[in-house]
Amino acid sequence: HQSRYEVSCAFVQSSDFDGVLLCFQDVTQEKQVGQLRRDFVANVSHELRTPLTALMGFVETLQGPAKHDADARDRFLAIMASEAGRMNRLVGDLLSLSRVESEERMRPRTSVDIGGLLRSTMQNLASLAEDACVTMVCEISEAPVMIPADADQMIQVFSNLIENAVKYGGKGSTVTARLTEVERDPTLRQPVVRLDVQDTGAGIDPVHIPRLTERFYRIDSHRSREMGGTGLGLAIVKHIISRHRGRLKIDSQLGEGSTFSVVLPKG
């Protein structure tokens, strides 16, 4: 990023010195934060404008030309319910993101069974996978795996990653959730628990991977919206993992599926 400075200039005169005093104040970070805030507001406005426009149009139609058309009324109401649900999901994710960001500096201290949470999440999403004709494989030991974590936020991470794998893996794919304990992670330099969510879908072009956790970044905007995505899921995941002092790794190749890995410290 290009550095930005605010410069002030003043004439200085004393008994033994005459000159000009220049003060340089680095405001790069403030400018970047301001730009991020403006981009965020613009993105939220754009995400809300589309369903709001659709709702307003259907309400106007139902009040006018389709007032007495029962078939049109039922069809429009179904679309309106879908658009309202989309806005509700967006607002929910915005509130969740705000809450996660506010807690990011407070590391969880409560010990939870991470394996049990993952097994429970897999069971809760079994019907989603069945409806999508996706096979789910659970490679998780029955023995408790205890780490300091926020149980609700971990369920949020697991649900997001597994739902994404099911939705984008596609019909006939397999989603595998694997939990392993590692004596020493080379990056975190301590014992960790590693969760891998692997799918056998179409994969992701590596050019997109560095930006996947950005807010509102989508590879295919139309497909994401059709599937109910808000563009905030992986941003929330990233902040939760950051709060837990862990790391997120994404490996994928086109035509070879994807693996999302979460590494969390055990202590």
Side-chain angles (χ1 to χ4, degrees):
H1 296 286
Q2 190 175 15
S3 297
R4 300 286 295 274
Y5 294 89
E6 286 186 357
V7 184
S8 59
C9 178
F11 180 70
V12 178
Q13 186 177 31
S14 65
S15 58
D16 57 354
F17 176 79
D18 288 339
V20 176
L21 176 65
L22 294 175
C23 293
F24 291 79
Q25 182 180 0
D26 188 347
V27 295
T28 306
Q29 187 172 1
E30 289 84 348
K31 294 293 184 181
Q32 289 175 352
V33 169
Q35 185 61 50
L36 287 172
R37 186 179 295 113
R38 288 190 292 273
D39 290 344
F40 184 67
V41 171
N43 280 322
V44 172
S45 300
H46 175 74
E47 293 292 331
L48 287 172
R49 183 181 295 114
T50 302
L52 275 174
T53 301
L55 284 171
M56 292 170 65
F58 285 125
V59 168
E60 184 178 340
T61 303
L62 289 172
Q63 289 175 333
K67 181 182 293 186
H68 303 296
D69 188 336
D71 291 338
R73 182 172 63 245
D74 291 342
R75 186 170 68 255
F76 292 162
L77 285 173
I79 299 173
M80 291 168 68
S82 175
E83 295 294 339
R86 176 177 162 187
M87 286 193 295
N88 188 53
R89 288 191 298 274
L90 176 60
V91 171
D93 277 355
L94 287 169
L95 291 173
S96 181
L97 181 61
S98 176
R99 185 166 54 249
V100 169
E101 286 182 324
S102 69
E103 298 173 344
E104 195 164 352
R105 295 184 181 276
M106 298 181 290
R107 188 176 182 184
R109 297 297 179 186
T110 305
S111 185
V112 301
D113 177 12
I114 204 74
L117 291 178
L118 182 53
R119 286 194 301 273
S120 176
T121 304
M122 294 280 284
Q123 291 169 1
N124 292 338
L125 295 175
S127 59
L128 175 70
E130 185 177 350
D131 292 343
C133 298
V134 171
T135 301
M136 294 183 73
V137 178
C138 186
E139 297 183 2
I140 307 166
S141 170
E142 291 292 333
V145 180
M146 310 300 294
I147 68 168
D150 183 311
D152 290 338
Q153 288 189 346
M154 283 294 99
I155 291 173
Q156 197 171 2
V157 169
F158 300 158
S159 297
N160 185 282
L161 296 182
I162 294 169
E163 283 183 15
N164 282 352
V166 169
K167 290 177 181 177
Y168 297 105
K171 185 176 181 180
S173 65
T174 298
V175 173
T176 303
R178 185 180 302 108
L179 194 67
T180 55
E181 297 181 70
V182 181
E183 286 299 319
R184 181 177 174 80
D185 180 77
T187 302
L188 299 182
R189 299 181 180 180
Q190 60 180 305
V192 301
V193 173
R194 174 173 173 143
L195 162 70
D196 295 312
V197 177
Q198 183 177 22
D199 68 67
T200 58
I204 304 167
D205 190 326
V207 71
H208 296 293
I209 291 177
R211 301 192 60 190
L212 285 180
T213 57
E214 291 181 14
R215 300 170 188 182
F216 299 111
Y217 183 82
R218 294 181 173 97
I219 298 173
D220 185 337
S221 296
H222 178 73
R223 186 184 180 202
S224 174
R225 291 189 179 95
E226 286 292 313
M227 292 185 173
T230 63
L232 293 173
L234 287 178
I236 294 171
V237 165
K238 181 186 72 172
H239 283 288
I240 291 176
I241 294 171
S242 176
R243 183 194 176 197
H244 287 73
R245 307 301 187 265
R247 63 188 181 93
L248 174 67
K249 184 180 179 183
I250 305 171
D251 289 316
S252 186
Q253 294 289 335
L254 286 174
E256 299 180 11
S258 306
T259 301
F260 287 72
S261 302
V262 177
V263 179
L264 300 168
K266 295 182 69 174

